């Protein structure tokens, strides 16, 4: 329909109703090589970024954690160990292929007693109000159709005193780094994707989606608009990645 609202899918404008399906196709395509590509794309540094997120989360034994866009479970695996048998980790992803990959990995690692799996859209979370001590979303918010709607939904399910951590690609703060980053993202990254997954276009979309994501200050404002307080962010690797954190007071 001509009057249907549009949103961005990378650098393309697409109908809002189509974006989730297009994102799903991207991750269906890359799911079985997701971990390998993360290591290749970031030169392994993504493990340090995720470790920093875990350390900033303050998750303790007995707490309940929601890991959105959980992928293959790097964050969920660490949280499972931290919350112990009295706690719970909800491993959630909108994409069934990614959820299956992650579940297989968690079972292989013996993480079964305190982890459950939910296929869910971050915009419409099927959980009670004031339910989780901590919610994380790692490298997934930029793919959500309506980011503000998702942040509002996350605020609803966080307990008073709980917190949200968003780990996401962001805007480099050093101009020389920006130029190198652009060259890598739009030239080398799609070629790596083609070589490893036979899918150049999906990785071109991922590069474009990073550029369309809000910058650090804009995303901080969106967390505050959702209701989070004491919001801050921490640039990693010169701002290539940032961790945003907000509390529900």
């Amino acid at each position: 329909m001509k009057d249907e609202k549009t949103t961005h899918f990378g650098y393309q404008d697409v109908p809002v109703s189509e974006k989730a399906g297009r994102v799903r196709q991207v991750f269906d395509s890359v799911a079985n090589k997701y971990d390998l590509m993360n290591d290749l794309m970031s030169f392994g540094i993504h493990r340090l970024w995720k470790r920093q997120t875990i350390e900033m989360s303050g998750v303790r034994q007995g707490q309940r954690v929601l890991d959105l866009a959980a992928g293959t479970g790097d964050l969920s695996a660490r949280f499972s160990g931290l919350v112990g048998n009295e706690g719970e980790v909800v491993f959630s992803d909108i994409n069934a292929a990614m959820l299956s990959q992650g579940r297989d990995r968690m079972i292989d690692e013996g993480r079964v007693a305190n982890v459950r799996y939910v296929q869910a859209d971050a915009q419409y979370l099927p959980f009670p109000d004031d339910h989780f001590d901590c919610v994380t979303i790692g490298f997934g918010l930029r793919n959500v159709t309506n980011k503000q709607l998702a942040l509002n939904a996350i605020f609803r399910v966080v307990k008073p005193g709980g917190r949200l951590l968003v780990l996401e690609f962001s805007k480099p703060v050093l101009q020389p780094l920006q130029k190198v980053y652009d060259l890598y993202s739009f030239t080398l990254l799609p070629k790596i994707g083609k070589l490893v997954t036979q899918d150049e276009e999906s990785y071109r979309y991922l590069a474009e989606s990073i550029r369309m994501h809000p910058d650090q200050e804009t995303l901080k404002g969106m967390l505050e608009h959702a209701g989070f307080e004491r919001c801050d962010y921490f640039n990693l690797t010169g701002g290539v990645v940032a961790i945003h954190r907000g509390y529900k007071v």
Side-chain angles (χ1 to χ4, degrees), residues 1-6 15-18:
M1 294 178 62
K2 290 184 179 181
D3 60 351
E4 185 174 0
K5 292 182 178 180
T6 62
V16 168
S17 60
E18 291 184 10

Side-chain angles (χ1 to χ4, degrees), residues 155-171:
F155 182 80
R156 178 184 63 80
V157 304
V158 173
K159 290 180 180 179
R163 57 274 182 209
L164 162 67
L165 286 97
V166 179
L167 172 64
E168 188 55 89
F169 291 107
S170 199
K171 307 299 180 186

Side-chain angles (χ1 to χ4, degrees), residues 77-202:
R78 295 289 298 277
F79 285 134
S80 174
L82 289 173
V83 303
N85 292 334
E86 300 302 315
E88 180 183 60
V89 176
V90 176
F91 184 120
S92 180
D93 202 291
I94 193 173
N95 183 272
M98 293 301 301
L99 196 66
S100 178
Q101 290 280 333
R103 184 175 183 177
D104 289 347
R105 174 190 171 184
M106 298 291 276
I107 292 172
D108 289 344
E109 294 181 1
R111 302 183 185 277
V112 294
N114 61 0
V115 182
R116 65 186 180 100
Y117 303 87
V118 177
Q119 185 176 358
D121 186 333
Q123 300 171 112
Y124 310 104
L125 296 175
F127 307 110
D129 295 355
D130 305 330
H131 192 65
F132 294 99
D133 297 284
C134 181
V135 177
T136 58
I137 179 166
F139 302 114
L141 185 61
R142 73 182 187 279
N143 296 312
V144 175
T145 302
N146 187 325
K147 298 172 182 63
Q148 190 64 61
L149 189 62
L151 293 172
N152 296 347
I154 292 168
F155 182 80
R156 178 184 63 80
V157 304
V158 173
K159 290 180 180 179
R163 57 274 182 209
L164 162 67
L165 286 97
V166 179
L167 172 64
E168 188 55 89
F169 291 107
S170 199
K171 307 299 180 186
V173 296
L174 302 174
Q175 193 62 35
L177 180 58
Q178 177 68 65
K179 294 178 180 179
V180 173
Y181 187 44
D182 283 344
L183 181 64
Y184 167 74
S185 299
F186 293 105
T187 303
L188 185 58
L189 176 58
K191 299 304 180 186
I192 296 173
K194 182 178 181 179
L195 179 65
V196 177
T197 69
Q198 288 74 55
D199 186 350
E200 182 173 351
E201 287 306 309
S202 288

